């Protein structure tokens, strides 16, 4: 495997890992939003 192929492979894996991490974080945040819904303070 030459340097270009290795570099492209690492770039694709890095971008995929970043997008996967952001997707998991968005799932956790939506789950927390459903578990702890926002309630306005009574005035």
């Amino acid at each position: 495997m030459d340097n270009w192929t290795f570099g492209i492979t690492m770039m694709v894996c890095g971008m995929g890992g970043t997008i996967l991490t952001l997707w998991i974080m968005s799932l956790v945040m939506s789950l927390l939003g459903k578990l702890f819904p926002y309630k306005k303070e009574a005035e």
Side-chain angles (χ1 to χ4, degrees), residues 5-22:
T5 307
F6 179 72
I8 298 287
T9 304
M10 289 302 291
M11 181 180 70
V12 169
C13 289
M15 289 189 303
T18 301
I19 290 173
L20 180 66
T21 304
L22 289 172

Side-chain angles (χ1 to χ4, degrees), residues 15-30:
M15 289 189 303
T18 301
I19 290 173
L20 180 66
T21 304
L22 289 172
W23 178 68
I24 291 172
M25 287 173 57
S26 71
L27 286 179
V28 169
M29 289 174 65
S30 64

